[in-house]
Amino acid sequence: MRLRTHWGGYALKMAKTKPNKKLYSRMRASGVRKKVARELSRLPGHASGGKKAPKPLRQAVNRLEATVGELKDHSRRGDRKAAARKAARTRRGKAESRRRSARKGARKRSKS
């Protein structure tokens, strides 16, 4: 079906919003900088047809994933394993301090 316009030509179909424009808008709304959002929104176009995306874009995606992972860790209660390691390190340090003090006292007592 052809749509007629008032100037005699045929109306073209409306342009659809490109997926990368939507992705760009979503990234900007979530606080990503314009330049980064623009480059990352081009990524699906670069990687279409089984081609590998350019290295800088892949690296940017990896950095964003790492940032998201870190934010998720901070939003949860935290890593219990890391807390346990810190507690063990503190206990070792305190024990070493007590040992040093005990040796120092023993040396002093043996001199007198």
Side-chain angles (χ1 to χ4, degrees):
M1 179 176 135
R2 294 183 199 178
L3 299 174
R4 285 241 180 233
T5 62
H6 41 270
W7 62 84
Y10 291 101
L12 300 173
K13 289 184 179 178
M14 291 250 336
K16 292 182 181 177
T17 305
K18 293 181 181 176
N20 63 355
K21 181 69 175 168
K22 289 179 183 177
L23 179 60
Y24 172 82
S25 299
R26 271 191 20 225
M27 283 193 283
R28 286 291 296 141
S30 63
V32 178
R33 291 177 182 238
K34 281 183 184 179
K35 187 174 182 179
V36 175
R38 193 177 310 116
E39 290 297 316
L40 290 176
S41 66
R42 291 183 188 147
L43 181 62
H46 285 301
S48 63
K51 288 185 282 183
K52 202 172 187 181
K55 191 173 182 180
L57 290 178
R58 290 194 315 265
Q59 288 172 337
V61 169
N62 289 338
R63 283 193 307 269
L64 278 176
E65 285 175 346
T67 304
V68 167
E70 192 174 331
L71 287 172
K72 282 183 179 179
D73 287 345
H74 284 292
S75 67
R76 290 190 230 124
R77 290 187 129 189
D79 185 12
R80 291 303 310 148
K81 193 173 184 180
R85 281 195 301 266
K86 182 180 177 188
R89 192 171 54 241
T90 302
R91 283 192 301 271
R92 272 197 304 273
K94 297 242 181 215
E96 180 58 36
S97 170
R98 284 193 303 273
R99 256 184 251 116
R100 255 195 319 262
S101 295
R103 273 194 223 113
K104 187 176 178 182
R107 275 197 306 271
K108 224 170 207 187
R109 283 190 300 274
S110 70
K111 285 182 179 178
S112 56

